[in-house]
Amino acid sequence: MSMTDARPPATPKPSVEPKADRKWLLQLLDKTKLYWGLVALIVFGALTSPLSSKGNNIFLSLGNLTDILRQVSVTGIVAVGMTLVIFIAGIDLSVGSIMALGTVICAMLLTQSGWTAASMFSVPATGVILFVAVAALIFFVQSQMRAASTKDQPSVPSKLPSMAIGLVVALAAMLWLGLQVDDKFGVMGVLIAVPCVGIIMGTLNGALIVYGRLQPFIVTLAMMVGALGLARVIAGQDTAVYPVYTGSNAVQEFDVLRSLLWGVVPVPGLFFLAILAIFFVLTRFTTFGSYLLAIGGNAEAARLAGINVKRNTIVTYAIAGGLSALAGILYVAQFRQGKPDAGLGLELDAIAAVVIGGTSLMGGRGAILGTFVGVLIFGFLSNILQLNNIDSNTQLILKGVIIIAAVLLQEGRIEEFLSAVKRKIRGEK
C-alpha cells in the first residue's frame, strides 16, 4: 500500500454526555428559581387554606386573589420606581414619605376648597413639570426628525419652539387646575397634580446626588425626614388624618379608583399592572433600560461610552418620586384618608420586593418582571399567614428570613453558607 493511500483513523464524533444535559437543566432551573418559588408558595397556600362554610378553598377564591392584587398595588407601584433606582446602583429611602405627602395633598385637594397649602404647592409644581416634560419631549422629537432628514451633518434644532409649546401647555394646565381650586378637585385633577409633586421631590433627590456629589443613602434619608415634615406642615400641626368621604366631602367619582373593573379586576391593581407593563417595555426594549443597567454596572464606563449619566440619574429618581406620589392617590382611594405617616416602612417593603425579585443591590443587574414576582411573593405570603391566623410578629420574622434566603440565592452563596454552617457544627475551621 502506498503512502498516499494511508488515512488516519476516523475520529469518533463526540456524543452528548448526560452531564451536559443535566448542567443545562440546572442552569434553566437556576434562571427560573424565582418563578418556581412563587408556584411553590401558591401550592402551599392552597394546601393550607381554610375552607369556607360552603367547602370552598378560601385562598384560591377569586375574591381573595383580587384582594391580594389590590393589597400589593401600592407597594408594587413604589417597587417599580425603586427597581429603576437600584438598577443604577442607587437607593431611595424617601419613597414612603413622598407617598405619605401624596396622600395628604390628594386628600386636601379633594376635600377642601380655596387656595390651601396643598393647592399652592401642587398647582405650580404641575406647571413646572409639564413645562419641562413637554419642552423636552418636543425637542427630542425635533432632533430625531432632523437627524433622519439630514444624515450627513444633522444640525441641532432651536429650543425656542419646544419651550414655547411647553409654556403654553403648562399655563393651560395651571389655569385648568386653578379653576378647580374654588370648588374641589376631581379625579383627573389629583391624578395630574399629585404625581407632579412627587416628581419635584424625586428630581430634587437626583439633582443633589448628581451635582452635590452626595451618596444616595444620605440624600434620600434627608428627603425621607424632610418630606415627612413637609407633609405635616401642609396638613397642619393639629391634623393627623384627613378623612375622605366620597359623596360627602369629596366628589363621588373618586370611588372609581377603588372599584372593581368588570366586577373582577380592582382598579388599583390595574394601575399597578399598567405601570409594570410600561416600564417592562421601557427597560427591556429601549435604550433607556440599557443605559440604566450600564450606569449601575460602571458609571464611569457608561459616561465614557457617551451615556448622559447625570441626566439619566435625575430622571430615574424623578420617576421614583412620581410613582410614589401616584401610589399615595391609590392609598387615599382604598383607605379613605390621607395622613403624614401613611408610608411608614414602605421603603423597606419596596426594597425587599426588589431584592426578592432578583435585582442586585450593587446595580447593573435585574428585571422589572422579577420585581413583579417579588411583590406577589410578599402578597401571597402575607395572605397565607393571615388566613392561618399567624400573629403579625411572626409574619415579620418569616419575611426577614425570606429576604436573607433570597439574597443568598441571588448571589449564589447559599451553598457556601450551608457548607460553612456544617463545618461550624462539626467543629472544623
Side-chain angles (χ1 to χ4, degrees):
M1 184 173 72
S2 64
M3 294 295 292
T4 56
D5 294 333
R7 296 287 187 273
T11 304
K13 294 182 179 180
S15 58
V16 179
E17 297 181 1
K19 290 183 178 179
D21 291 337
R22 288 198 297 269
K23 184 178 180 181
W24 176 84
L25 180 60
L26 290 175
Q27 290 176 345
L28 179 62
L29 290 174
D30 182 66
K31 291 180 180 179
T32 59
K33 59 179 178 286
L34 180 65
Y35 306 99
W36 288 112
L38 178 61
V39 171
L41 185 62
I42 294 174
V43 171
F44 177 76
L47 294 176
T48 59
S49 172
L51 301 178
S52 66
S53 58
K54 296 181 179 180
N56 298 324
N57 190 295
I58 296 178
F59 177 78
L60 294 178
S61 65
L62 182 60
N64 184 63
L65 295 178
T66 55
D67 279 344
I68 294 174
L69 181 59
R70 181 192 298 276
Q71 291 165 10
V72 302
S73 59
V74 170
T75 303
I77 291 172
V78 175
V80 170
M82 185 68 75
T83 305
L84 303 181
V85 171
I86 295 178
F87 274 1
I88 62 173
I91 199 74
D92 193 346
L93 301 179
S94 66
V95 292
S97 294
I98 293 176
M99 192 275 278
L101 176 62
T103 69
V104 170
I105 292 178
C106 176
M108 291 180 67
L109 293 178
L110 287 169
T111 60
Q112 295 188 353
S113 59
W115 284 98
T116 63
S119 56
M120 286 190 291
F121 187 35
S122 59
V123 173
T126 303
V128 171
I129 293 303
L130 287 180
F131 168 72
V132 174
V134 173
L137 178 61
I138 294 177
F139 181 76
F140 173 77
V141 172
Q142 286 179 330
S143 300
Q144 295 299 312
M145 293 176 62
R146 184 163 296 192
S149 60
T150 56
K151 296 182 179 179
D152 295 333
Q153 290 182 344
S155 58
V156 178
S158 174
K159 293 183 179 180
L160 290 178
S162 59
M163 293 177 66
I165 297 175
L167 182 60
V168 170
V169 173
L171 291 176
M174 291 176 65
L175 177 62
W176 177 65
L177 292 176
L179 293 175
Q180 299 184 53
V181 167
D182 291 335
D183 193 6
K184 293 175 184 178
F185 273 56
V187 178
M188 288 303 301
V190 295
L191 283 176
I192 292 175
V194 176
C196 287
V197 172
I199 293 173
I200 288 285
M201 307 300 285
T203 301
L204 184 58
N205 274 337
L208 288 172
I209 291 169
V210 168
Y211 297 111
R213 296 183 180 181
L214 300 174
Q215 290 295 324
F217 182 90
I218 300 299
V219 172
T220 58
L221 179 63
M223 181 60 73
M224 177 179 72
V225 179
L228 176 61
L230 181 61
R232 290 176 176 173
V233 169
I234 291 176
Q237 296 294 331
D238 299 328
T239 304
V241 175
Y242 270 100
V244 177
Y245 304 119
T246 53
S248 176
N249 66 347
V251 293
Q252 184 68 45
E253 291 77 13
F254 191 69
D255 264 345
V256 72
L257 296 182
R258 65 190 306 270
S259 61
L260 288 174
L261 193 63
W262 304 301
V264 177
V265 183
V267 171
L270 195 63
F271 269 84
F272 173 40
L273 295 177
I275 289 169
L276 191 82
I278 291 170
F279 285 98
F280 172 76
V281 172
L282 286 176
T283 56
R284 186 70 180 271
F285 302 107
T286 70
T287 55
F288 177 68
S290 303
Y291 287 171
L292 297 188
L293 293 176
I295 293 170
N298 190 320
E300 182 61 20
R303 185 186 67 81
L304 294 175
I307 298 174
N308 193 324
V309 175
K310 293 182 178 180
R311 182 177 63 194
N312 282 282
T313 299
I314 293 175
V315 169
T316 301
Y317 279 94
I319 291 173
L323 290 178
S324 299
L326 175 61
I329 299 175
L330 299 179
Y331 179 95
V332 174
Q334 293 186 66
F335 297 99
R336 299 180 182 275
Q337 63 180 4
K339 55 181 182 177
D341 61 347
L344 185 64
L346 179 63
E347 62 279 349
L348 301 181
D349 290 341
I351 293 172
V354 174
V355 172
I356 291 292
T359 298
S360 173
L361 285 172
M362 303 301 293
R365 189 177 81 245
I368 291 291
L369 193 58
T371 296
F372 175 57
V373 178
V375 169
L376 289 183
I377 285 176
F378 266 119
F380 281 122
L381 177 64
S382 298
N383 184 258
I384 291 169
L385 296 176
Q386 291 170 6
L387 288 177
N388 288 278
N389 296 320
I390 305 298
D391 65 275
S392 59
N393 295 325
T394 305
Q395 292 184 34
L396 293 175
I397 294 172
L398 290 175
K399 288 181 179 180
V401 171
I402 288 176
I403 293 171
I404 295 297
V407 174
L408 288 173
L409 284 170
Q410 173 186 312
E411 301 297 333
R413 296 178 181 176
I414 189 68
E415 294 182 4
E416 180 182 344
F417 172 75
L418 294 175
S419 298
V421 171
K422 289 180 181 179
R423 289 195 301 270
K424 191 67 176 178
I425 293 176
R426 295 173 183 173
E428 300 176 3
K429 293 183 179 180

